[in-house]
Amino acid sequence: MTVPFQQSESLSGIAHGFFGRQGGVSSGSYAGLNVSETGGDDFNLVAENRRSAASALGFKPTQLATLKQVHSNRIVTVTAASNLDDRPEADGLVTNCVGIVLGVLTADCAPILFADPIAGIVGAAHAGWQGAVNGVITNTVDAMLALGALPSRIIATLGPTISQQNYEVGPQFMAEFLTLHPNGRDHFVTPAGGREHFDLPGFITAELQRLGVGTITDLGICTYGDPERYFSHRFATHAGRTTGRQIALIGMH
């Protein structure tokens, strides 16, 4: 049975999917479609989960390119000569190669899938607050432009991400953020008697708009708010347990 995934209407015609934890063969804290090779799950089960996700979009696991994600702003351009078994330290991928599917792993951070269908270029970015604040979105778009994409033709979709309602960060985070982005105060709210909350999806959308990306969509799914369907690092931490990672994929046949 094909594992379930979400798609964006704006990326219709491009092979892509935002997967959650449903389906898959992992158990316990990792129950479902855990795709993390480094979180402590059985490696063979993770490999089967990755195979299932790639297969759901019509790709083989040998066609899947992923990363060792480190909350950076580094981007890898995947070519026909790339060794897809490598896991370079980076947080974004782009390619203009048919037969390669790009994957980023998340569990509250934002998965962003990109495409310029006219130029035949796709991208994927893992945007936690560190990467987003320090330029991973800009660098992903720039890497696509270097391959021949145009900002006005790029479609970007934001997948399951922790929402502002559930993303308490505190005053030090806000102060450090505003040092880098002085006009970004609107991305914070402070509930009565509470601490500051950050709107990561809203900030990402604003960054995409600033870069002139032509079409921007947000699935509007909160990982923390639906832990049965999505892995959420913050929810698991609050519950005193570990958790897995889901994957977002995009590629061209």
Side-chain angles (χ1 to χ4, degrees):
M1 180 181 294
T2 299
V3 293
F5 55 90
Q6 298 286 330
Q7 289 190 307
S8 168
E9 289 185 7
S10 65
L11 289 169
S12 177
I14 303 289
H16 75 285
F18 296 93
F19 294 79
R21 68 184 301 167
Q22 295 177 311
V25 294
S26 293
S27 61
S29 297
Y30 309 105
L33 195 73
N34 173 43
V35 294
S36 173
E37 296 176 325
T38 59
D41 196 2
D42 182 282
F43 191 85
N44 292 323
L45 299 182
V46 171
E48 174 59 20
N49 290 336
R50 287 180 169 230
R51 185 206 63 77
S52 295
S55 177
L57 298 182
F59 293 94
K60 299 176 182 178
T62 54
Q63 296 175 296
L64 172 61
T66 58
L67 301 164
K68 179 181 179 182
Q69 297 173 187
V70 290
H71 297 280
S72 70
N73 60 12
R74 293 191 293 276
I75 312 302
V76 171
T77 297
V78 182
T79 71
S82 297
N83 181 356
L84 302 188
D85 290 329
D86 286 345
R87 302 288 188 268
E89 289 192 357
D91 288 271
L93 306 123
V94 301
T95 192
N96 59 0
C97 295
V98 172
I100 291 175
V101 60
L102 310 177
V104 290
L105 281 58
T106 60
D108 285 336
C109 296
I112 313 169
L113 299 181
F114 300 82
D116 178 341
I118 303 300
I121 298 165
V122 295
H126 159 252
W129 72 263
Q130 291 169 292
V133 168
N134 289 307
V136 71
I137 302 163
T138 298
N139 291 353
T140 303
V141 171
D142 284 348
M144 293 180 70
L145 302 188
L147 292 176
L150 293 178
S152 61
R153 293 196 310 233
I154 293 177
I155 302 161
T157 296
L158 175 61
T161 308
I162 193 167
S163 65
Q164 183 176 40
Q165 177 183 352
N166 293 311
Y167 197 11
E168 179 186 288
V169 294
Q172 182 176 349
F173 176 103
M174 187 173 79
E176 292 174 357
F177 174 91
L178 293 177
T179 299
L180 294 171
H181 299 273
N183 298 321
R185 188 173 292 275
D186 288 347
H187 299 302
F188 293 86
V189 297
T190 305
R195 289 158 54 89
E196 292 79 357
H197 286 57
F198 180 52
D199 183 6
L200 178 59
F203 175 67
I204 289 169
T205 297
E207 285 291 279
L208 292 167
Q209 292 170 338
R210 181 183 62 80
L211 294 166
V213 169
T215 303
I216 304 165
T217 57
D218 181 353
L219 295 185
I221 298 169
C222 176
T223 46
Y224 187 99
D226 199 351
E228 295 300 314
R229 293 182 63 199
Y230 299 98
F231 295 108
S232 169
H233 173 72
R234 180 164 286 215
F235 185 92
T237 299
H238 288 169
R241 58 176 184 257
T242 58
T243 193
R245 297 292 184 272
Q246 54 244 342
I247 197 165
L249 299 175
I250 189 164
M252 296 178 292
H253 291 291

